[in-house]
Amino acid sequence: MNNTTDNLDIADIEKAIRMLNKYAKEPNIEPLISILEALKQDLHNESLLAQLADTWRNLGVYQGTVLTYVPKFYTWIPDDIFGDKG
């Protein structure tokens, strides 16, 4: 991971969770919210960061929903946010 934790802040994660729970009711986003909840407890957990990236990349069209309500989310995924490079 490339210093992803430098971009993570508990307050930002809490805000993201609130926004997603309030405005993004799609069940497909629930696993992402669960990982964010876990990251609040351990910002430096490499396994959770990898899960966050994998879950994000598997959201498909719901990536747009996440970015609508949490525009800073793209800074939390290392390297290529949309998985286009490999």
Side-chain angles (χ1 to χ4, degrees):
M1 298 267 141
N2 293 340
N3 296 331
T4 303
T5 57
D6 292 344
N7 298 322
L8 289 172
D9 177 85
I10 291 174
D12 288 340
I13 292 173
E14 288 174 343
K15 181 178 179 184
I17 292 166
R18 277 194 314 274
M19 295 297 286
L20 292 172
N21 280 328
K22 184 172 183 176
Y23 298 110
K25 305 287 188 188
E26 293 84 3
N28 298 37
I29 295 176
E30 290 174 11
L32 188 76
I33 295 170
S34 295
I35 294 167
L36 290 173
E37 290 280 359
L39 274 172
K40 279 188 346 186
Q41 307 304 314
D42 186 1
L43 289 178
H44 302 287
N45 185 315
E46 291 291 327
S47 175
L48 288 173
L49 292 170
Q51 288 177 39
L52 182 70
D54 289 341
T55 301
W56 162 259
R57 290 193 175 104
N58 290 315
L59 278 179
V61 298
Y62 295 107
Q63 288 177 336
T65 303
V66 172
L67 290 175
T68 297
Y69 298 111
V70 188
K72 189 174 184 170
F73 190 87
Y74 77 93
T75 66
W76 300 346
I77 301 296
D79 304 320
D80 178 23
I81 189 168
F82 296 109
D84 295 333
K85 294 181 184 171

